[in-house]
Amino acid sequence: MRATAAVLLVLCLLTISHAWDCQEVVNIKNLMQIDAGLGQVVATDTSQIPYYLVGDKWIRLPGSLKHITVGPGGIWGVNKDYAIYKYVAGNWVQAAGLLKQLDAGGNQFVVGANMNDTPFCLTSSATVGYKGPGSPLPWTGLPGAVKYYSCGPFGCWAVNKNDDIFLMSLNQDCQNKGWSHIDGKLSMIEVATDGSVFGVNSVGSVYTRDGITASKPEGTGWSNIPMGMLMGHVTYDLGRLWVVSKSGGTMVCTH
């Protein structure tokens, strides 16, 4: 009986490990962070050079950024001095405020966290309409403290300095009902345009949240995605899971 159970366990593990087919992305090195949304992929490397993927070529964007995001809210980024920028007509235009991380995956609104882990939200009208200095930019401070923050169609997910996980319902006007604690521990978390949630924990393991729907935005539990190496960052869009290892290598996986 024990032998049979052991064989079944091995088969189960093999099935799980082959659930994702991963290939190395060979034409980009030393990435630090990556984001995908609405069919677009952007990234920054360890030299803080931003990139945009066109076909199989990574096109260097102007400027220097430590974090970049793409989604319904457009393309935004922040640099090493926490300055915020939006990509407008082929150039970066600076936006008022200071953030260390931001996300454009919400319903045309942008969220982010500053250097003190204070979360902020920018309404959809201000996000879409921002075209440079002079445009209104009413950042709304939100409750709690988070170090990484990402939104999708069913809610916004975040992690704090202790790697605790939280979920918030947030609308286009930044109205919310506060955070709900979710089980588990993650160092970073990303929400896809379709509502899928992926994250990486402190030891470099990748997880996805199961059972997320519009009626059950918190989902049902976490599933590990075996990678064979330690990962530092993850993003997902249109069936492709992009993962950056702690050593700077990048893989793209399909399910």
Side-chain angles (χ1 to χ4, degrees):
M1 187 62 120
R2 289 183 178 177
T4 301
V7 170
L8 289 174
L9 177 59
V10 170
L11 289 174
C12 180
L13 291 174
L14 287 173
T15 301
I16 294 172
S17 65
H18 286 84
W20 290 87
D21 177 26
C22 298
Q23 304 293 328
E24 183 184 4
V25 180
V26 296
N27 49 359
I28 191 75
K29 302 293 183 185
N30 301 318
L31 287 188
M32 179 172 59
Q33 176 256 334
I34 191 167
D35 194 43
L38 296 179
Q40 304 173 83
V41 183
V42 293
T44 57
D45 67 10
T46 52
S47 298
Q48 301 186 22
I49 298 172
Y51 294 91
Y52 183 95
L53 181 63
V54 178
D56 61 353
K57 298 186 183 300
W58 293 88
I59 307 301
R60 179 171 177 171
L61 296 176
S64 174
L65 299 174
K66 71 171 186 176
H67 190 98
I68 188 170
T69 181
V70 61
I75 301 177
W76 294 69
V78 294
N79 68 10
K80 62 181 178 62
D81 297 316
Y82 311 112
I84 307 166
Y85 295 89
K86 182 184 181 183
Y87 200 60
V88 178
N91 290 289
W92 295 106
V93 294
Q94 188 168 354
L98 297 171
L99 294 173
K100 65 178 179 180
Q101 178 265 333
L102 77 173
D103 185 83
N107 189 10
Q108 295 189 323
F109 60 86
V110 169
V111 298
N114 70 6
M115 62 288 290
N116 298 317
D117 289 357
T118 303
F120 285 89
C121 172
L122 185 64
T123 64
S124 61
S125 58
T127 296
V128 175
Y130 188 76
K131 55 188 177 183
S135 299
L137 210 64
W139 289 104
T140 300
L142 300 175
V146 302
K147 66 177 180 179
Y148 201 103
Y149 192 8
S150 182
C151 294
F154 307 137
C156 299
W157 292 69
V159 294
N160 66 11
K161 64 180 182 179
N162 299 318
D163 291 351
D164 297 317
I165 306 167
F166 297 91
L167 171 64
M168 171 186 283
S169 175
L170 193 64
N171 68 15
Q172 290 180 303
D173 294 324
C174 299
Q175 295 177 338
N176 68 91
K177 296 181 180 179
W179 297 102
S180 298
H181 180 252
I182 304 294
D183 62 289
K185 292 277 189 176
L186 292 173
S187 297
M188 63 81 56
I189 196 165
E190 280 286 344
V191 187
T193 310
D194 66 0
S196 302
V197 174
F198 294 83
V200 180
N201 68 10
S202 60
V203 297
S205 298
V206 177
Y207 288 86
T208 184
R209 188 72 176 178
D210 301 319
I212 293 176
T213 64
S215 60
K216 194 174 180 60
E218 71 276 14
T220 56
W222 297 102
S223 290
N224 176 244
I225 302 175
M227 284 291 162
M229 64 180 73
L230 302 181
M231 295 300 175
H233 203 92
V234 64
T235 187
Y236 176 85
D237 183 52
L238 297 177
R240 291 173 174 83
L241 180 68
W242 301 83
V243 284
V244 177
S245 72
K246 289 182 178 288
S247 59
T250 303
M251 294 196 301
V252 59
C253 308
T254 54
H255 198 32

